Amino acid sequence: MLTIQQYVRAKSLEEAYTLCQDKKSVVLGGMLWLKLQNRAVTTAIDLSDLGLDTIQETDDAFQIGAMVTLRQLETHPGLAALTQGAMETCVKPIVGVQFRNLATIGGSLFGRFGFSDLITLFLALDAKVELYHRGVLSLEEFLSLPPQRDILVQVHLPKAPAQVSYLAQRNQSTDFPTLTCALVRRPGEAVRCAIGARPNRAELFLDEEGLLAQGITPETAQAFGEDIAKRAKFGNNLRAKAAYRQAICPVLVRRGLLRWKEEG
């Protein structure tokens, strides 16, 4: 059971940051996974009054507030165009519309859940997170840090032209994924591949061997997928064994790459 002693709607980021320094305090996102926990919370901090629920577009990035819902990400035309529909593909299988109307990007990223579809895609897209105290840092760096007593303000998603693919394997629709895969290719850069739900949180891999340097073919796509499957570390949980995850990893990678070839 979750018990809360005090509920506060923060009037400023400074107030929210000060309150969250108490180890028994917690920042509320959509409060969907939080309410399932068995813990005592001294102060529940609500960020709803801080204007963090908008997606703003600049010349070089999308700035996504921490309280933006997954449904907003799913239906945003600018993000759909940037990712060739991968944003919708990523979040649409997450439970249902009612859930996605409440779940927030801040809760999804700051929670650093291993099963997170969103972390996988945003990691491949080279997203940056802006923390109130620590400042701006790459999502990859943020994921490597120990838990932070900080406030996630917004996420910066670069608008650089790219080809994007997102795939996930699920035992059944709306279930947690057994493996996730996001691929991003930008002109002049190596392909970025993020593999998540291993069942640990997503990890980023690059084409270090130049397997795709001469172009994407069924053979090079298969070779790259097998290379990723060798480098990634997989584990067991109730949804799948490590061996199964390792077996389907090259399949997802190959399919994502060949999708670009089919699209020209």
Side-chain angles (χ1 to χ4, degrees), residues 17 42 59 73 76 114 171 185 190 204 213 221:
Y17 175 76
T42 302
D59 291 338
L73 297 177
H76 193 278
N171 292 332
R185 179 172 66 173
L204 183 67

Side-chain angles (χ1 to χ4, degrees), residues 185-252:
R185 179 172 66 173
R186 295 191 172 103
E189 297 182 11
V191 170
R192 298 169 61 88
C193 177
I195 301 294
R198 300 173 297 113
N200 297 324
R201 71 173 67 105
E203 185 177 0
L204 183 67
F205 301 92
L206 302 179
D207 183 14
E208 297 176 352
E209 301 297 324
L211 297 172
L212 304 174
Q214 302 304 315
I216 296 174
T217 66
E219 293 74 23
T220 60
Q222 180 67 29
F224 184 58
E226 292 176 354
D227 179 57
I228 298 298
K230 291 177 182 177
R231 288 193 278 158
K233 295 180 180 179
F234 303 97
N236 305 318
N237 66 359
L238 292 175
R239 293 177 186 83
K241 296 292 187 181
Y244 175 75
R245 289 184 162 99
Q246 187 170 34
I248 64 173
C249 177
V251 177
L252 296 184

Side-chain angles (χ1 to χ4, degrees), residues 7 14 27 38 43 51 70 93 122-123 129 160 165 193 198 215 222 226-227 235 238 242 249 253 261:
Y7 166 79
E14 179 62 31
V27 177
N38 183 22
T43 304
L70 303 192
F122 275 63
L123 186 60
V129 296
S165 290
C193 177
R198 300 173 297 113
Q222 180 67 29
E226 292 176 354
D227 179 57
L238 292 175
C249 177
V253 173
K261 184 176 177 63

